[in-house]
Amino acid sequence: MVKSAPPPTTSRKPSKVEGLKEKSNFLREPVATQILEDTTHFTEDAVQILKFHGSYQQDNRDNRVKGQEKDYQFMLRTKNPGGLVPPQLYLALDKLADEYGNHTLRVTTRQGFQMHGILKKNLKAAIATIIKNLGSTLGACGDINRNVMAPPAPFKNRAEYQYAWEYAQNIADLLSPLTGAYYEIWLDGEKAISAQESPEVKAARERNGNGTIIHDTEEPLYGTYYMPRKFKVSVTVPGDNSIDLYSQDLTLVVITDAQGNLEGFNIFAGGGLGRTHNKEETFARLADPIGYVAKEDVYDAVKAIVATQRDYGDRTDRRHARLKYLINDWGVDKFCAKVEEYFGKPLEPFKPLPEFKYDDFLGWHEQGDGKLFLGISIENGRVKDEGSFQLRTALREIVEQFNLPIRLTPHQNLIIYEIDPENKQAIQEILNRCGVVSDPTTIDPLIRYAMACPALPTCGLAITESERAIPGILERIRVLLDKVGLQDEHFVVRMTGCPNGCARPYMAELGFVGSAPETYQVWLGGSPNQTRLAQPYVERLHHNDIESLLEPILVYFQKSRQPGESFGDFCDRVSFGAIREFAAQYQPQTTPVTIEAETETSQAASRPRKARYRVSLHDDLYAKLKSTATSQGRSMTDLVRDALEAYFQNQP
């Protein structure tokens, strides 16, 4: 993809948002005035500042009526460094979802919660409740450091994981805005109760560091204009890529000695996935290894990188404002030289690292101190009660009864930890009663490793469906895998309703990126461990044509893969040219198509498990089934089930 730089920014005017930040009196106005007004929504200028406070103004497009006002509502996002949600905060959020929200919570891909459907008149009460229950929304959105990510696994016997949690929290504190606007607006100036800040963090914030600090201002690190765009940070440990480290603006990797004592951190910088269709100057980019810093210097190094982006990031073109573009335009060497000016010393050479792997930490595990943790898969991050599936009820009962903390994962799941072994059976019984699966081996891997953004109807950037579409698309991919003889195969599928990449589709083995209504750009070739960028294979694919596109690719994969080779690695190895050549000559298979039916079977400990029974269809009948299901907007499985039930009801 073309990665050309725009004209020099020195001769161009700052973007409109830069002016709004300047006039906001450090994030106060016009939000402080308009929150008091009896209206259903904020002005566009206020919306830009509201983001810094953790909220997006949205319009539920499902409820639009021509000639009437938009169905205004607000999405509220929490900021949870390392994904930590104390029990008190979780129960408060669960209650708010019913009082003010749409009765669901949604785990984000940055280890926070989102709550949808809040009305403007309830926004202040909702934020105040979160603050008073040990939470925050400050900086969850806006041109600022976002939620600092860390591996969610609570391994108490692995010191590097504990260091990752500690420094994720400390860096979140270091980069938190200091303006009093947040508490003035949402708590009427009342001082919030918060955990004791590390003295090292406080001292590091006050050190000037060769220009990292702006004097005589309410925001000594950010200044009047804050950052040019969002700034994403993560902390991880060697080998653990549960946080998609290559997609971050800044990632620190914990380095310990043989005894597990902290020595310092490797630094990656310049990752980012947001892009714009038909704008080749925007692109997804992997982070580069920058260097190593000793533990006593890590906060000054972070400040130096933030200051470099703050002072040299593009403030004229918001599409070109992320750190990835600065590093891409300058090159790593020039970027490091500027960082070292702020840092006051050279960065040390990057330390060797093992290969990074992805793990979702689902299921029951020992956490290393005699207690247990449980990773629960949440499809697309949506915590809800629906029919016999009562996930919200289960989580509420478990947290209330056992007072357990939660860690949200970067894959939209959650981990309950600090579980006493004697409570395992009682917790398992709650999950079983509420229809919540705790054994990840019973989950179709296509679903287990997939992610989607919310998209329609509420996200204002969405071009097409994502969260509501992916279950049916995964089902169709599973049927297709069965058809071509890949019944046991799976790969990482991610989908977004627009090119901004919130579900990180550009790191997936198969990525769908919304490009028009019911139409997606298709990306192939990412790695199963999210260490390689995928590439665009098709610019516009209508969702009805997914099978015709994927079938020849999957057949080629089935015939030509190397032993143990993943789908993404295969696509990267053989090249798109070879894939297109095979697809052009491919003739659809005429063998019977297999449809799998699922039933619940009882197992030990009363755990329900899916049992599969296969029924074969020939191609002509399969084509009719697919066409009918598509025209009715239903899944093929539902259509077959209804037809069979109707047939047997009419039998004597």
Side-chain angles (χ1 to χ4, degrees):
M1 301 177 72
V2 178
K3 299 182 179 179
S4 56
T9 60
T10 53
S11 61
R12 291 155 49 196
K13 294 176 59 177
S15 69
K16 178 184 177 182
V17 175
E18 295 300 308
L20 295 176
K21 288 184 283 188
E22 181 182 29
K23 294 186 294 184
S24 73
N25 187 19
F26 297 102
L27 309 182
R28 290 175 173 85
E29 293 296 346
V31 174
T33 296
Q34 294 186 20
I35 192 64
L36 301 176
E37 297 173 351
D38 184 18
T39 59
T40 60
H41 60 283
F42 291 89
T43 64
E44 286 302 312
D45 288 357
V47 164
Q48 295 299 324
I49 304 304
L50 182 66
K51 293 177 184 178
F52 288 81
H53 296 262
S55 182
Y56 282 86
Q57 181 168 286
Q58 299 182 330
D59 164 34
N60 189 331
R61 284 184 253 180
D62 282 353
N63 296 339
R64 281 185 179 175
V65 178
K66 188 175 181 180
Q68 295 185 13
E69 183 182 76
K70 294 179 179 179
D71 182 23
Y72 287 110
Q73 53 185 253
F74 293 81
M75 179 269 280
L76 195 57
R77 181 183 297 156
T78 64
K79 191 172 183 179
N80 308 84
L84 174 61
V85 183
Q88 177 182 341
L89 176 59
Y90 181 79
L91 295 175
L93 291 170
D94 178 78
K95 187 176 180 181
L96 285 173
D98 282 337
E99 288 184 342
Y100 301 134
N102 67 353
H103 309 288
T104 74
L105 295 171
R106 197 175 196 279
V107 185
T108 76
T109 57
R110 290 201 66 79
Q111 298 181 274
F113 269 124
Q114 287 183 175
M115 191 159 37
H116 295 87
I118 303 172
L119 301 180
K120 179 173 180 273
K121 65 181 181 180
N122 297 324
L123 191 59
K124 183 171 182 176
I127 294 178
T129 298
I130 290 171
I131 298 171
K132 291 177 180 178
N133 286 278
L134 309 180
S136 179
T137 65
L138 176 61
C141 325
D143 299 346
I144 206 164
N145 173 53
R146 300 290 182 88
N147 196 42
V148 180
M149 297 171 68
F155 294 127
K156 298 300 180 68
N157 58 343
R158 297 179 63 177
E160 65 272 30
Y161 278 87
Q162 298 302 303
Y163 289 130
W165 281 10
E166 176 186 349
Y167 278 83
Q169 180 63 62
N170 287 351
I171 291 168
D173 291 342
L174 176 70
L175 302 183
S176 183
L178 298 182
T179 175
Y182 185 67
Y183 301 105
E184 291 170 15
I185 294 172
W186 309 111
L187 285 183
D188 296 325
E190 178 184 342
K191 189 174 182 179
I193 300 172
S194 61
Q196 185 66 35
E197 184 177 69
S198 165
E200 293 180 357
V201 172
K202 184 176 181 181
R205 185 188 296 113
E206 295 171 353
R207 283 196 294 272
N208 186 24
N210 307 300
T212 57
I213 294 301
I214 301 169
H215 296 286
D216 302 320
T217 176
E218 196 168 343
E219 293 282 16
L221 183 57
Y222 289 121
T224 304
Y225 299 95
Y226 293 86
M227 298 296 280
R229 282 298 301 272
K230 56 190 171 186
F231 191 83
K232 297 181 175 180
V233 180
S234 66
V235 185
T236 191
V237 305
D240 190 324
N241 193 30
S242 60
I243 48 83
D244 262 346
L245 73 94
Y246 290 99
S247 68
Q248 313 281 345
D249 291 271
L250 169 62
T251 292
L252 301 177
V253 183
V254 172
I255 303 296
T256 59
D257 63 18
Q259 290 72 45
N261 300 309
L262 179 63
E263 291 188 328
F265 299 84
N266 273 347
I267 301 174
F268 290 84
L273 302 184
R275 45 180 291 279
T276 303
H277 287 315
N278 303 316
K279 300 285 185 181
E280 291 190 340
E281 66 274 16
T282 69
F283 46 86
R285 185 182 191 277
L286 299 185
D288 292 298
I290 298 300
Y292 169 86
V293 63
K295 64 179 181 180
E296 57 267 20
D297 291 328
V298 65
Y299 301 125
D300 290 334
V302 169
K303 284 171 56 183
I305 293 170
V306 169
T308 301
Q309 165 66 355
R310 177 196 69 197
D311 295 344
Y312 294 94
D314 189 349
R315 293 182 181 272
T316 67
D317 181 358
R318 291 183 63 79
R319 288 197 180 106
H320 187 255
R322 292 286 298 277
L323 179 64
K324 64 179 177 179
Y325 296 116
L326 181 65
I327 295 180
N328 190 76
D329 295 346
W330 278 7
V332 172
D333 290 344
K334 180 179 177 180
F335 175 76
C336 286
K338 181 58 66 176
V339 168
E340 289 169 349
E341 288 182 23
Y342 286 107
F343 187 39
K345 65 176 83 172
L347 295 170
E348 297 180 45
F350 199 79
K351 303 288 186 182
L353 290 172
E355 183 180 0
F356 280 99
K357 301 288 187 180
Y358 171 77
D359 192 345
D360 56 16
F361 307 111
L362 296 183
W364 285 98
H365 303 267
E366 294 183 359
Q367 63 185 36
D369 61 353
K371 294 187 177 183
L372 307 174
F373 72 85
L374 171 63
I376 297 177
S377 176
I378 305 175
E379 191 170 347
N380 298 314
R382 186 69 66 176
V383 180
K384 61 183 177 180
D385 284 348
E386 187 175 77
S388 61
F389 178 68
Q390 297 284 302
L391 177 59
R392 264 192 66 205
T393 294
L395 293 177
R396 180 172 59 252
E397 288 186 19
I398 291 169
V399 174
E400 283 180 337
Q401 187 172 339
F402 301 102
N403 196 38
L404 296 172
I406 286 172
R407 289 273 173 176
L408 305 179
T409 85
H411 205 75
Q412 300 177 300
N413 301 318
L414 63 76
I415 290 173
I416 305 171
Y417 64 112
E418 303 288 10
I419 300 171
D420 291 326
E422 58 266 28
N423 293 329
K424 177 180 178 180
Q425 182 176 349
I427 291 173
Q428 187 63 62
E429 288 174 355
I430 293 173
L431 297 172
N432 292 344
R433 172 168 48 82
C434 294
V436 179
V437 174
S438 62
D439 180 0
T441 64
T442 65
I443 303 170
D444 186 331
L446 270 182
I447 297 173
R448 175 175 176 175
Y449 297 108
M451 286 203 301
C453 71
L456 296 175
T458 54
C459 179
L461 300 175
I463 305 168
T464 189
E465 297 282 1
S466 181
E467 180 183 351
R468 298 192 296 194
I470 197 171
I473 288 174
L474 292 176
E475 183 179 323
R476 291 162 59 189
I477 293 174
R478 173 54 65 198
V479 171
L480 186 56
L481 287 169
D482 292 342
K483 176 182 178 181
V484 302
L486 292 168
Q487 291 89 342
D488 298 325
E489 192 60 39
H490 67 89
F491 37 80
V492 176
V493 182
R494 293 178 176 178
M495 171 178 279
T496 57
C498 82
N500 281 333
C502 291
R504 301 192 285 274
Y506 309 116
M507 305 299 292
E509 294 178 271
L510 171 60
F512 294 97
V513 180
S515 58
E518 300 183 336
T519 302
Y520 301 86
Q521 193 179 59
V522 178
W523 289 62
L524 297 174
S527 75
N529 294 309
Q530 290 86 65
T531 56
R532 180 180 60 243
L533 201 63
Q535 297 297 325
Y537 179 73
V538 169
E539 290 296 327
R540 292 170 71 90
L541 175 76
H542 192 272
H543 74 87
N544 287 342
D545 300 324
I546 287 175
E547 286 87 351
S548 60
L549 174 84
L550 288 182
E551 182 173 324
I553 301 174
L554 293 174
V555 170
Y556 188 25
F557 171 55
Q558 195 266 348
K559 292 178 179 295
S560 304
R561 70 188 300 188
Q562 295 177 349
E565 187 174 38
S566 71
F567 178 66
D569 290 345
F570 169 80
C571 293
D572 181 68
R573 175 178 63 84
V574 302
S575 82
F576 286 1
I579 293 173
R580 289 190 173 99
E581 182 178 354
F582 182 90
Q585 301 172 2
Y586 175 75
Q587 295 297 320
Q589 295 187 11
T590 58
T591 53
V593 178
T594 298
I595 299 292
E596 287 191 347
E598 293 183 340
T599 62
E600 298 282 357
T601 63
S602 177
Q603 287 200 334
S606 300
R607 270 198 321 239
R609 183 186 179 94
K610 298 291 187 181
R612 295 182 179 275
Y613 300 90
R614 296 183 175 180
V615 181
S616 294
L617 303 176
H618 286 283
D619 277 357
D620 57 346
L621 185 56
Y622 173 81
K624 293 178 181 178
L625 174 63
K626 175 186 171 184
S627 176
T628 303
T630 300
S631 67
Q632 294 183 9
R634 303 176 64 198
S635 70
M636 290 186 286
T637 298
D638 287 345
L639 206 62
V640 169
R641 184 188 63 241
D642 291 351
L644 289 174
E645 287 178 350
Y647 173 80
F648 286 116
Q649 285 176 358
N650 293 326
Q651 296 304 302

